[in-house]
Amino acid sequence: MSAQHVITAKGDRVDIECQNCKSGMDVSATSALGAAMIENWPKLHKCPKAAKK
């Protein structure tokens, strides 16, 4: 995947952001759902800018 994702830890929260479109989400780093989203976000995210290439 061509999209670059930046993961930033903020205490017990983690911010995931796509550098192409600046879309992202803030998830809990301590929950199972949050951990799954951190792992799968780059695959799940459909970047509108990456699709135009």
Side-chain angles (χ1 to χ4, degrees), residues 6-28:
V6 173
I7 299 173
T8 308
K10 298 177 181 175
D12 65 345
R13 307 290 298 171
V14 176
D15 185 55
I16 310 164
E17 184 180 65
C18 172
Q19 292 302 289
N20 289 335
C21 67
K22 302 300 180 191
S23 171
M25 59 175 26
D26 179 68
V27 296
S28 171

Side-chain angles (χ1 to χ4, degrees), residues 24-50:
M25 59 175 26
D26 179 68
V27 296
S28 171
T30 58
S31 72
L33 177 62
M37 286 307 298
I38 292 164
E39 189 174 323
N40 293 307
W41 172 255
K43 290 179 271 185
L44 294 172
H45 176 58
K46 304 287 186 243
C47 180
K49 292 191 178 180

